[in-house]
């Protein structure tokens, strides 16, 4: 299982920051943002190899299930 910040959302925010800097904003004046979107991924193949079974309710919560 993995619960982490969404990579695509992070890249989008980096692009927004870059645009602000290119348009003349000072990097030191820009606020620091925390991740606001997260993804939850379950790898069933690895879980099966380890002898772990994921309950259906947990699988329903996952953003991505790797079989």
């Amino acid at each position: 299982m993995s619960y982490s910040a969404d990579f695509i959302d992070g890249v989008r925010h980096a692009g927004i920051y870059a645009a602000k800097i290119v348009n003349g904003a000072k990097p030191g004046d820009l606020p620091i943002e925390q991740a606001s979107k997260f993804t939850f991924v379950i790898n069933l193949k690895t879980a099966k190899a380890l002898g772990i079974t994921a309950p259906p309710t947990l699988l329903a919560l996952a953003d991505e299930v790797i079989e």
Side-chain angles (χ1 to χ4, degrees):
M1 289 188 282
S2 170
Y3 187 71
S4 63
D6 186 26
F7 178 74
I8 302 298
D9 192 51
V11 170
R12 185 177 62 82
H13 280 284
I16 293 169
Y17 263 54
K20 289 179 182 180
I21 293 170
V22 168
N23 289 330
K26 294 181 182 177
D29 294 339
L30 295 176
I32 297 172
E33 294 184 10
Q34 290 184 341
S36 58
K37 187 175 179 184
F38 296 87
T39 56
F40 179 49
V41 180
I42 298 175
N43 189 331
L44 289 178
K45 183 178 179 182
T46 303
K48 184 177 179 181
L50 295 172
I52 300 170
T53 57
T57 54
L58 189 63
L59 294 174
L61 292 173
D63 296 311
E64 183 180 351
V65 178
I66 301 170
E67 295 188 40

